[in-house]
Coordinates of all heavy atoms in Angstrom, one line a residue:
L118 N -24.0 -6.0 25.6 CA -24.7 -6.2 26.9 C -26.1 -5.5 26.9 O -27.1 -6.0 27.5 CB -23.9 -5.7 28.1 CG -22.7 -6.6 28.4 CD1 -21.8 -6.0 29.5 CD2 -23.2 -8.0 28.8
L119 N -26.1 -4.3 26.3 CA -27.3 -3.5 26.3 C -28.4 -4.2 25.5 O -29.6 -4.2 25.8 CB -27.0 -2.1 25.7 CG -28.2 -1.1 25.7 CD1 -28.6 -0.8 27.1 CD2 -27.8 0.2 25.0
F120 N -28.0 -4.8 24.3 CA -29.0 -5.4 23.4 C -29.1 -6.9 23.6 O -29.9 -7.5 22.8 CB -28.7 -5.0 22.0 CG -29.1 -3.6 21.7 CD1 -28.2 -2.5 21.8 CD2 -30.4 -3.2 21.4 CE1 -28.5 -1.2 21.6 CE2 -30.8 -1.9 21.1 CZ -29.8 -0.9 21.2
L121 N -28.4 -7.5 24.5 CA -28.6 -8.9 24.7 C -30.0 -9.4 25.0 O -30.5 -10.4 24.5 CB -27.6 -9.4 25.8 CG -27.5 -10.9 26.0 CD1 -27.0 -11.6 24.7 CD2 -26.5 -11.3 27.1
P122 N -30.7 -8.6 25.8 CA -32.1 -9.0 26.1 C -33.0 -9.0 24.8 O -33.8 -9.9 24.6 CB -32.6 -7.9 27.0 CG -31.4 -7.4 27.7 CD -30.3 -7.5 26.7
S123 N -32.7 -8.2 23.8 CA -33.4 -8.2 22.6 C -33.1 -9.5 21.8 O -34.0 -10.0 21.1 CB -33.0 -7.0 21.7 OG -33.4 -5.8 22.3
F124 N -31.9 -10.0 21.9 CA -31.5 -11.2 21.3 C -32.2 -12.4 22.0 O -32.8 -13.3 21.4 CB -30.0 -11.4 21.3 CG -29.6 -12.8 20.9 CD1 -29.7 -13.2 19.6 CD2 -29.1 -13.7 21.8 CE1 -29.3 -14.5 19.2 CE2 -28.7 -15.0 21.4 CZ -28.8 -15.4 20.1
R125 N -32.2 -12.3 23.3 CA -32.9 -13.4 24.1 C -34.4 -13.5 23.8 O -35.0 -14.5 23.9 CB -32.6 -13.2 25.6 CG -31.2 -13.2 26.0 CD -30.6 -14.6 25.9 NE -31.2 -15.4 27.0 CZ -31.0 -16.7 27.1 NH1 -30.2 -17.3 26.3 NH2 -31.5 -17.3 28.1
L126 N -35.0 -12.3 23.6 CA -36.4 -12.3 23.3 C -36.7 -12.5 21.8 O -37.8 -12.4 21.3 CB -37.0 -10.9 23.7 CG -37.0 -10.6 25.2 CD1 -37.4 -9.1 25.4 CD2 -38.0 -11.5 25.8
R127 N -35.7 -12.8 21.0 CA -35.7 -13.1 19.6 C -36.2 -11.9 18.8 O -36.9 -12.0 17.7 CB -36.6 -14.3 19.3 CG -36.0 -15.5 20.0 CD -36.9 -16.7 19.8 NE -36.8 -17.0 18.3 CZ -37.4 -18.0 17.8 NH1 -38.1 -18.9 18.5 NH2 -37.4 -18.2 16.5
L128 N -35.9 -10.7 19.3 CA -36.2 -9.5 18.5 C -35.1 -9.1 17.6 O -35.3 -8.4 16.6 CB -36.5 -8.3 19.5 CG -37.7 -8.5 20.4 CD1 -37.7 -7.4 21.4 CD2 -39.0 -8.6 19.7
L129 N -33.9 -9.6 17.9 CA -32.7 -9.4 17.1 C -32.0 -10.7 16.9 O -32.0 -11.6 17.8 CB -31.7 -8.5 17.8 CG -31.9 -7.0 17.8 CD1 -30.8 -6.3 18.6 CD2 -32.0 -6.4 16.4
G130 N -31.4 -10.9 15.7 CA -30.6 -12.1 15.5 C -29.2 -11.9 16.0 O -28.8 -10.8 16.3
A131 N -28.5 -13.0 16.1 CA -27.1 -12.9 16.5 C -26.2 -12.1 15.6 O -25.4 -11.3 16.0 CB -26.5 -14.3 16.7
G132 N -26.4 -12.2 14.3 CA -25.7 -11.4 13.3 C -26.0 -9.9 13.4 O -25.1 -9.1 13.3
D133 N -27.2 -9.6 13.7 CA -27.6 -8.2 13.8 C -26.9 -7.6 15.1 O -26.4 -6.5 15.1 CB -29.1 -8.0 14.0 CG -29.9 -8.5 12.8 OD1 -29.4 -8.4 11.7 OD2 -31.0 -9.1 13.0
L134 N -26.9 -8.4 16.1 CA -26.2 -8.0 17.4 C -24.7 -7.7 17.1 O -24.2 -6.7 17.6 CB -26.5 -9.0 18.4 CG -26.2 -8.6 19.9 CD1 -27.2 -7.5 20.3 CD2 -26.4 -9.9 20.8
K135 N -24.1 -8.7 16.4 CA -22.7 -8.5 16.2 C -22.4 -7.4 15.2 O -21.4 -6.7 15.4 CB -22.1 -9.8 15.6 CG -22.1 -11.0 16.6 CD -21.5 -12.2 16.1 CE -22.6 -13.1 15.6 NZ -22.1 -14.4 15.1
L136 N -23.3 -7.2 14.3 CA -23.1 -6.0 13.3 C -23.2 -4.7 14.1 O -22.4 -3.8 13.9 CB -24.2 -6.1 12.2 CG -24.1 -5.0 11.1 CD1 -22.7 -5.1 10.4 CD2 -25.2 -5.2 10.2
G137 N -24.1 -4.6 15.0 CA -24.3 -3.4 15.8 C -23.0 -3.2 16.7 O -22.5 -2.0 16.8
A138 N -22.5 -4.2 17.3 CA -21.3 -4.1 18.1 C -20.1 -3.7 17.2 O -19.3 -2.8 17.6 CB -20.9 -5.4 18.7
L139 N -20.0 -4.2 16.0 CA -19.0 -3.7 15.0 C -19.1 -2.2 14.7 O -18.1 -1.5 14.6 CB -19.0 -4.6 13.8 CG -18.0 -4.2 12.7 CD1 -16.6 -4.5 13.2 CD2 -18.2 -5.0 11.5
I140 N -20.3 -1.8 14.5 CA -20.6 -0.4 14.3 C -20.1 0.5 15.4 O -19.4 1.5 15.2 CB -22.1 -0.1 14.0 CG1 -22.5 -0.7 12.6 CG2 -22.4 1.3 14.0 CD1 -23.9 -0.8 12.4
F141 N -20.4 0.1 16.7 CA -20.0 0.8 17.8 C -18.4 0.8 17.9 O -17.8 1.8 18.3 CB -20.6 0.3 19.1 CG -21.9 1.0 19.4 CD1 -22.9 1.0 18.6 CD2 -22.0 1.6 20.6 CE1 -24.1 1.7 18.9 CE2 -23.2 2.3 21.0 CZ -24.2 2.3 20.1
L142 N -17.8 -0.3 17.6 CA -16.4 -0.4 17.7 C -15.7 0.5 16.6 O -14.8 1.2 16.9 CB -15.9 -1.9 17.4 CG -14.5 -2.1 17.3 CD1 -13.8 -2.0 18.6 CD2 -14.2 -3.5 16.7
A143 N -16.3 0.5 15.4 CA -15.7 1.3 14.3 C -16.0 2.8 14.4 O -15.1 3.6 14.1 CB -16.2 0.8 13.0
L144 N -17.2 3.2 14.8 CA -17.6 4.6 14.7 C -17.8 5.3 16.0 O -17.9 6.5 16.0 CB -19.0 4.6 14.0 CG -19.0 4.0 12.6 CD1 -20.3 4.1 12.0 CD2 -18.0 4.7 11.7
G145 N -17.8 4.6 17.1 CA -17.9 5.2 18.4 C -19.4 5.3 18.8 O -20.3 4.8 18.0
I146 N -19.7 5.8 19.9 CA -21.0 5.8 20.5 C -22.0 6.7 19.7 O -23.0 6.3 19.3 CB -21.0 6.1 22.0 CG1 -20.3 5.0 22.7 CG2 -22.5 6.3 22.5 CD1 -20.1 5.3 24.2
S147 N -21.6 8.0 19.6 CA -22.6 8.9 19.0 C -22.8 8.6 17.5 O -23.9 8.6 17.0 CB -22.1 10.4 19.2 OG -20.9 10.6 18.5
R148 N -21.7 8.4 16.7 CA -21.9 8.0 15.3 C -22.6 6.7 15.2 O -23.3 6.4 14.2 CB -20.6 8.2 14.6 CG -20.2 9.6 14.5 CD -18.9 9.8 13.8 NE -18.6 11.2 13.6 CZ -17.5 11.7 13.9 NH1 -16.5 11.0 14.4 NH2 -17.3 13.0 13.7
G149 N -22.2 5.7 16.0 CA -22.8 4.4 16.0 C -24.3 4.5 16.2 O -25.1 3.9 15.5
L150 N -24.7 5.3 17.2 CA -26.1 5.5 17.5 C -26.8 6.2 16.3 O -28.0 5.8 16.0 CB -26.3 6.3 18.8 CG -26.2 5.6 20.1 CD1 -26.2 6.6 21.2 CD2 -27.2 4.5 20.3
A151 N -26.1 7.1 15.7 CA -26.7 7.8 14.5 C -27.0 6.8 13.4 O -28.1 6.8 12.8 CB -25.8 8.9 14.0
V152 N -26.0 5.9 13.1 CA -26.2 4.9 12.1 C -27.3 4.0 12.4 O -28.2 3.7 11.6 CB -24.9 4.1 11.8 CG1 -25.1 2.9 11.0 CG2 -23.8 5.0 11.2
I153 N -27.3 3.5 13.6 CA -28.4 2.5 14.0 C -29.7 3.2 14.0 O -30.7 2.6 13.5 CB -28.0 1.9 15.4 CG1 -26.8 0.9 15.2 CG2 -29.2 1.1 16.0 CD1 -26.2 0.4 16.4
F154 N -29.8 4.4 14.5 CA -31.1 5.1 14.5 C -31.6 5.4 13.1 O -32.8 5.2 12.8 CB -31.0 6.4 15.3 CG -32.3 7.2 15.4 CD1 -33.3 6.8 16.2 CD2 -32.5 8.3 14.6 CE1 -34.5 7.4 16.3 CE2 -33.7 9.0 14.6 CZ -34.7 8.6 15.5
C155 N -30.7 5.8 12.3 CA -31.1 6.1 10.9 C -31.5 4.8 10.1 O -32.2 4.9 9.1 CB -29.9 6.8 10.1 SG -29.7 8.5 10.6
G156 N -31.0 3.7 10.6 CA -31.4 2.4 10.0 C -32.7 1.8 10.6 O -33.5 1.3 9.9
L157 N -32.8 1.9 11.9 CA -34.0 1.3 12.6 C -35.2 2.1 12.4 O -36.3 1.5 12.5 CB -33.7 1.1 14.1 CG -32.6 0.1 14.4 CD1 -32.5 -0.1 15.9 CD2 -33.0 -1.3 13.8
L158 N -35.1 3.4 12.2 CA -36.4 4.2 12.1 C -37.1 3.8 10.8 O -38.3 3.5 10.9 CB -36.0 5.7 12.0 CG -37.2 6.7 12.1 CD1 -37.9 6.5 13.5 CD2 -36.7 8.1 12.0
P159 N -36.5 3.7 9.6 CA -37.3 3.2 8.5 C -37.6 1.8 8.6 O -38.7 1.3 8.1 CB -36.4 3.5 7.3 CG -35.0 3.7 7.8 CD -35.2 4.2 9.2
A160 N -36.8 1.0 9.3 CA -37.2 -0.5 9.5 C -38.4 -0.6 10.4 O -39.3 -1.4 10.1 CB -36.0 -1.2 10.2
A161 N -38.6 0.3 11.4 CA -39.8 0.3 12.2 C -41.0 0.7 11.4 O -42.1 0.1 11.5 CB -39.6 1.2 13.4
A162 N -40.8 1.7 10.5 CA -41.9 2.1 9.7 C -42.3 0.9 8.7 O -43.5 0.7 8.5 CB -41.6 3.3 8.9
Y163 N -41.4 0.3 8.2 CA -41.7 -0.9 7.3 C -42.4 -2.0 8.1 O -43.3 -2.6 7.6 CB -40.4 -1.4 6.7 CG -40.5 -2.6 5.8 CD1 -41.2 -2.5 4.6 CD2 -40.0 -3.8 6.2 CE1 -41.4 -3.7 3.8 CE2 -40.2 -5.0 5.4 CZ -40.9 -4.9 4.2 OH -41.1 -6.0 3.4
S164 N -41.9 -2.3 9.3 CA -42.6 -3.3 10.1 C -44.0 -2.9 10.4 O -44.9 -3.8 10.4 CB -41.8 -3.5 11.4 OG -40.5 -4.0 11.2
L165 N -44.3 -1.7 10.7 CA -45.6 -1.2 11.0 C -46.5 -1.4 9.7 O -47.7 -1.8 9.8 CB -45.7 0.2 11.5 CG -45.2 0.4 12.9 CD1 -45.2 1.9 13.2 CD2 -46.1 -0.3 13.8
W166 N -45.9 -1.1 8.5 CA -46.6 -1.2 7.3 C -47.0 -2.7 7.0 O -48.1 -3.0 6.6 CB -45.8 -0.7 6.1 CG -46.4 -0.9 4.8 CD1 -47.4 -0.2 4.3 CD2 -46.1 -1.9 3.9 NE1 -47.8 -0.7 3.0 CE2 -47.0 -1.8 2.8 CE3 -45.2 -3.0 3.9 CZ2 -46.9 -2.6 1.7 CZ3 -45.2 -3.8 2.8 CH2 -46.0 -3.6 1.7
L167 N -46.0 -3.6 7.3 CA -46.3 -5.1 7.2 C -47.4 -5.5 8.1 O -48.3 -6.3 7.7 CB -45.0 -5.9 7.5 CG -44.0 -6.0 6.4 CD1 -42.8 -6.9 6.9 CD2 -44.6 -6.7 5.2
L168 N -47.3 -5.0 9.4 CA -48.4 -5.4 10.3 C -49.7 -4.9 9.9 O -50.8 -5.5 10.0 CB -48.1 -4.9 11.7 CG -47.0 -5.7 12.5 CD1 -46.6 -4.9 13.8 CD2 -47.5 -7.1 12.8

Side-chain angles (χ1 to χ4, degrees):
L118 289 174
L119 184 65
F120 285 94
L121 188 60
S123 297
F124 171 69
R125 300 286 291 171
L126 293 170
R127 299 180 63 177
L128 299 174
L129 284 177
D133 300 325
L134 195 64
K135 290 181 266 187
L136 183 62
L139 179 64
I140 289 169
F141 268 58
L142 175 71
L144 302 176
I146 293 173
S147 64
R148 290 181 174 129
L150 282 173
V152 167
I153 289 173
F154 180 76
C155 287
L157 290 182
L158 192 62
Y163 176 69
S164 294
L165 287 174
W166 176 79
L167 278 179
L168 285 173

